[in-house]
Amino acid sequence: MATISDVAALARVSVATVSRALNGKESVDPQLVARVRKAAAELGYHPNGLARSLRKRRTAVLALIISDVENPFFTAIARGVEDVALTAGYSVVLCNSDEKLDKESRYLDVAVEERVAGVVISPTGESTSVEVLRRRGTPVVAVDRPLDDVDQVLVNTRLAAQEATAHLVAAGYRRIACVTGPPGIRTADDRLAGYRDALAAAGMAADPGLVRRAEYRAEGAERATAELLRTAGVVDGLLVANSAQAVGSLEALRTAGRRLGTDVGVVAFDDAPWATLIDPPLTVVAQPAYELGAVAARLLLDRIEGDAHQVTVRTLDARLIERGSSRRN
Amino acid sequence: MATISDVAALARVSVATVSRALNGKESVDPQLVARVRKAAAELGYHPNGLARSLRKRRTAVLALIISDVENPFFTAIARGVEDVALTAGYSVVLCNSDEKLDKESRYLDVAVEERVAGVVISPTGESTSVEVLRRRGTPVVAVDRPLDDVDQVLVNTRLAAQEATAHLVAAGYRRIACVTGPPGIRTADDRLAGYRDALAAAGMAADPGLVRRAEYRAEGAERATAELLRTAGVVDGLLVANSAQAVGSLEALRTAGRRLGTDVGVVAFDDAPWATLIDPPLTVVAQPAYELGAVAARLLLDRIEGDAHQVTVRTLDARLIERGSSRRN
DNA sequence: TTGTAGGCGTTATCAT
DNA sequence: ATGATAACGCCTACAA
């Protein structure tokens, strides 16, 4: 484990010169630079980032805390963040909070302790607190879900849900149900709200029995949907709040022998790769996940580089992609 | 940004005492511990992990370098790694090499510079070099794909491919094609080898025209499969090397009007959540991704904690799940 | 242009 | 049981 002074000794210069040479600083004799480079290579020298960051009082690492690594929506966000961070010279470390508050707060502590330059987070819930970051002045950007007093990049998911539901109404479905995520998760609440907006606008009664909440996972949605079909009377339409849930809901519909589109019109959030593989293909609300991440990273870098602006909230639009699952036949 | 000496001052003790108290060390007057705790809380003190690691010459952070964050197989591995690391008191940072050698080697450099305790990596290719880690003595475990001279956790993917192909043969398919990943990626090569093993065992000629290579993504596989169907003559069976590719291959089959199972028997690697959603459901080779990650992490922790064992290679088995896509009717 | 030396915030050693 | 103090490896005034 060679250090800077080993390099200095081998190159017969001072550590200061090594530091300057290796960091491409100002005026160093090119001949010395060469000697230093050679010595460094010979020793397999890699600067100690810990020491460097300690001294400079800043790191070039961003933390991205997402609520579910196994959800393609969040991994797409991750790629967006990564791409802009990397080109700006920052590394990204990804942390998976798994929708669990304790894991999330542990990672927030780690972020503080490792003194990351900034944090992009999709908060697990309403009680998510980034106080620990705020106290230290670590810049934060919330993505996908809101968070008080910090920059945010969101999707206009309520409008999207409203449009999706209106689309089902226009297609002739009348008893439209909604399977959404747990209460307290803003995207889940918003999608439900949009659904209700659309029903109200269409002058249709909002039957509470047609609404189910489940974890953002296939299993929960499958149970919820099965139960819905058993107990809610006639159901001929369904809005599902994410693609993991869609897997479960579609299983349940099939088990119940209900044909997609013909018997039950379905729209789901997230344009999963398999959406066009099923028969009929699934109508979806496509969210701009990659952009979400890219915009969030950009905002964060602005903050880090001291561009002290006001708290900004950026809202991106989702897009309805009509396919066979929301057509009567 | 409160430091340990701020806490010391406020609690009117020495920094040494603060350090001992906060780290639950040996014998410290309980009364002082309380005073220190109170002072720390009051100041919102969080120890500086950089300084700590610099001093202790070790970090409690593992790096996991995977070749594609958007591939569920790798995110499942990530969860395995994470679960065991977290319970052992380590944090995991996830790095996405995106199957690109330059991103991979950048992350390897970062891992060294940040002095992570160890690295789990799914190497992008044959030329992946962890020399930089070896020189520093950073423990490494390769996962899913082999790597010279380091601990490895692999799947017996050649055998699995052979079984899958034999299953197609047994089901009566005769002109079986194979869509696999790029050359140089070991899993891709192994799956092809297993496919050939099975054909040979069945005394069937291996027609090179029935083999296609494509990126481990839907688009490439779709093109490859479409071309295969156009140019390879009769094709009534298909082995696909991962679930992303399966999406593309199935699209291509549908576009070509070939019915799953009836016209073309299909088996794909990876038990994707949507596999049972299509009609008929997809026969798959399920890989123990989570275990892969968990075992790799365990091996890595052993190394880190100085359990100097010989290079070990663990091979886990995959499991064929027969569904409708490999049945004639 | 190059070198010397102080300090970033901890932990650990050595006294007391 | 507690306190002073020397590293850990690097960067950067300041000096030469």
Side-chain angles (χ1 to χ4, degrees):
Chain A
M1 161 174 56
T3 76
I4 196 172
S5 35
D6 297 331
V7 179
L10 184 58
R12 283 168 302 125
V13 296
S14 73
V15 293
T17 301
V18 174
S19 174
R20 286 190 280 249
L22 259 28
N23 291 308
K25 278 287 167 64
E26 44 196 272
S27 42
V28 184
D29 187 319
Q31 207 170 341
L32 282 195
V33 174
R35 228 160 72 203
V36 169
R37 285 250 173 74
K38 182 155 165 293
E42 209 160 303
L43 294 169
Y45 169 72
H46 275 262
N48 184 325
L50 297 153
R52 167 184 287 162
S53 303
L54 179 60
R55 173 60 233 252
K56 301 183 80 165
R57 315 169 65 111
R58 56 176 303 238
T59 60
V61 177
L62 306 184
L64 169 58
I65 305 178
I66 60 179
S67 29
D68 182 7
V69 251
E70 298 200 279
N71 185 332
F73 172 69
F74 289 114
T75 55
I77 289 179
R79 298 205 34 152
V81 171
E82 203 187 4
D83 281 356
V84 347
L86 250 45
T87 51
Y90 286 78
S91 307
V92 177
V93 304
L94 190 52
C95 310
N96 173 36
S97 71
D98 223 4
E99 300 281 14
K100 300 209 177 73
L101 234 99
D102 58 330
K103 281 182 82 173
E104 180 182 64
S105 77
R106 168 163 181 181
Y107 277 122
L108 284 169
D109 283 345
V110 171
V112 170
E113 291 179 7
E114 299 302 323
R115 300 294 192 263
V116 300
V119 175
V120 175
I121 183 174
S122 67
T124 62
E126 287 171 326
S127 43
T128 291
S129 165
V130 293
E131 195 50 37
V132 57
L133 296 178
R134 192 170 293 138
R135 288 187 70 143
R136 280 209 67 262
T138 305
V140 196
V141 176
V143 70
D144 184 48
R145 305 171 184 180
L147 196 58
D148 289 344
D149 302 324
V150 306
D151 290 345
Q152 302 168 41
V153 186
L154 310 173
V155 176
N156 195 339
T157 193
R158 179 169 182 166
L159 178 64
Q162 186 249 300
E163 287 172 353
T165 310
H167 164 68
L168 286 172
V169 171
Y173 301 101
R174 284 296 162 262
R175 291 270 300 170
I176 302 169
C178 175
V179 171
T180 190
I185 294 186
R186 182 61 156 271
T187 51
D189 295 341
D190 277 356
R191 285 160 207 191
L192 176 57
Y195 157 85
R196 286 183 174 142
D197 292 345
L199 293 191
M204 295 164 75
D207 178 352
L210 287 174
V211 172
R212 295 297 143 115
R213 298 239 183 206
E215 299 247 294
Y216 267 150
R217 310 201 148 268
E219 301 72 36
E222 179 167 4
R223 271 195 304 279
T225 307
E227 204 216 31
L228 183 74
L229 295 175
R230 254 199 338 271
T231 65
V234 180
V235 173
D236 71 353
L238 182 60
L239 177 69
V240 186
N242 89 353
S243 67
Q245 290 192 324
V247 170
S249 288
L250 294 176
E251 290 284 10
L253 285 173
R254 208 199 22 196
T255 304
R258 314 292 286 272
R259 288 165 304 175
L260 225 50
T262 311
D263 298 330
V264 183
V266 176
V267 181
F269 270 75
D270 297 338
D271 191 19
W274 50 265
T276 54
L277 235 42
I278 62 175
D279 182 37
L282 188 63
T283 296
V284 299
V285 176
Q287 300 195 81
Y290 181 92
E291 285 72 32
L292 230 52
V295 171
R298 211 112 48 195
L299 240 43
L300 185 63
L301 292 175
D302 287 352
R303 279 263 182 231
I304 291 171
E305 260 126 48
D307 229 10
H309 47 264
Q310 291 216 306
V311 169
T312 55
V313 179
R314 297 273 291 273
T315 304
L316 309 187
D317 285 324
R319 190 167 46 91
L320 182 69
I321 302 179
E322 303 183 16
R323 301 202 182 101
S325 73
S326 57
R327 264 197 300 271
R328 262 263 141 69
N329 94 339
Chain B
M1 161 175 59
T3 76
I4 197 172
S5 35
D6 297 331
V7 178
L10 185 57
R12 283 168 300 125
V13 295
S14 75
V15 292
T17 301
V18 174
S19 176
R20 285 190 282 248
L22 259 27
N23 290 307
K25 279 285 167 64
E26 44 196 272
S27 41
V28 184
D29 188 319
Q31 207 171 340
L32 281 193
V33 174
R35 225 160 74 204
V36 169
R37 285 249 173 73
K38 181 157 165 291
E42 208 160 305
L43 293 168
Y45 169 73
H46 275 262
N48 184 325
L50 298 150
R52 167 182 289 163
S53 303
L54 179 60
R55 177 60 234 245
K56 299 183 81 165
R57 315 171 62 106
R58 55 178 304 247
T59 60
V61 177
L62 306 184
L64 170 59
I65 305 178
I66 60 179
S67 28
D68 183 6
V69 250
E70 298 200 280
N71 185 332
F73 172 69
F74 289 114
T75 55
I77 288 179
R79 299 206 32 153
V81 172
E82 204 188 4
D83 281 356
V84 347
L86 251 44
T87 50
Y90 287 79
S91 307
V92 177
V93 304
L94 191 52
C95 310
N96 173 35
S97 72
D98 224 6
E99 299 283 13
K100 300 209 177 74
L101 235 98
D102 58 330
K103 282 183 83 174
E104 180 182 65
S105 78
R106 167 159 181 185
Y107 276 123
L108 285 169
D109 284 345
V110 171
V112 169
E113 291 179 5
E114 300 301 325
R115 300 295 192 262
V116 300
V119 175
V120 176
I121 183 173
S122 68
T124 62
E126 287 170 328
S127 43
T128 291
S129 166
V130 292
E131 195 49 38
V132 57
L133 296 178
R134 192 171 293 137
R135 290 188 70 145
R136 279 210 66 261
T138 305
V140 197
V141 176
V143 70
D144 183 49
R145 305 170 184 181
L147 196 58
D148 288 344
D149 302 325
V150 306
D151 290 345
Q152 303 169 40
V153 187
L154 310 172
V155 176
N156 195 339
T157 193
R158 179 168 182 167
L159 177 63
Q162 186 248 301
E163 287 173 353
T165 310
H167 164 69
L168 286 172
V169 172
Y173 301 102
R174 284 296 163 262
R175 291 271 300 169
I176 302 169
C178 175
V179 170
T180 190
I185 294 187
R186 182 61 157 271
T187 51
D189 294 341
D190 277 356
R191 285 161 206 190
L192 176 57
Y195 157 85
R196 287 182 174 141
D197 291 345
L199 294 191
M204 295 164 73
D207 178 352
L210 287 174
V211 172
R212 295 298 143 113
R213 298 242 183 201
E215 298 247 294
Y216 266 150
R217 311 202 146 267
E219 302 71 37
E222 180 167 4
R223 270 195 305 277
T225 307
E227 203 215 32
L228 182 75
L229 295 174
R230 253 198 339 271
T231 65
V234 179
V235 173
D236 71 353
L238 182 60
L239 176 68
V240 186
N242 89 354
S243 68
Q245 291 191 325
V247 170
S249 287
L250 294 176
E251 289 285 9
L253 285 173
R254 207 202 18 201
T255 304
R258 314 292 285 273
R259 288 164 303 173
L260 225 49
T262 311
D263 298 330
V264 183
V266 175
V267 181
F269 271 75
D270 298 337
D271 191 18
W274 51 264
T276 54
L277 236 43
I278 61 175
D279 181 38
L282 188 63
T283 295
V284 298
V285 175
Q287 300 195 82
Y290 180 92
E291 285 71 33
L292 231 51
V295 171
R298 210 112 48 194
L299 240 43
L300 185 63
L301 291 175
D302 286 351
R303 279 263 183 232
I304 291 171
E305 259 124 50
D307 228 11
H309 47 264
Q310 291 216 304
V311 169
T312 55
V313 179
R314 297 273 292 272
T315 305
L316 309 187
D317 285 325
R319 189 167 48 92
L320 182 69
I321 301 178
E322 303 182 17
R323 300 201 183 102
S325 73
S326 57
R327 264 196 301 271
R328 259 268 140 66
N329 92 350

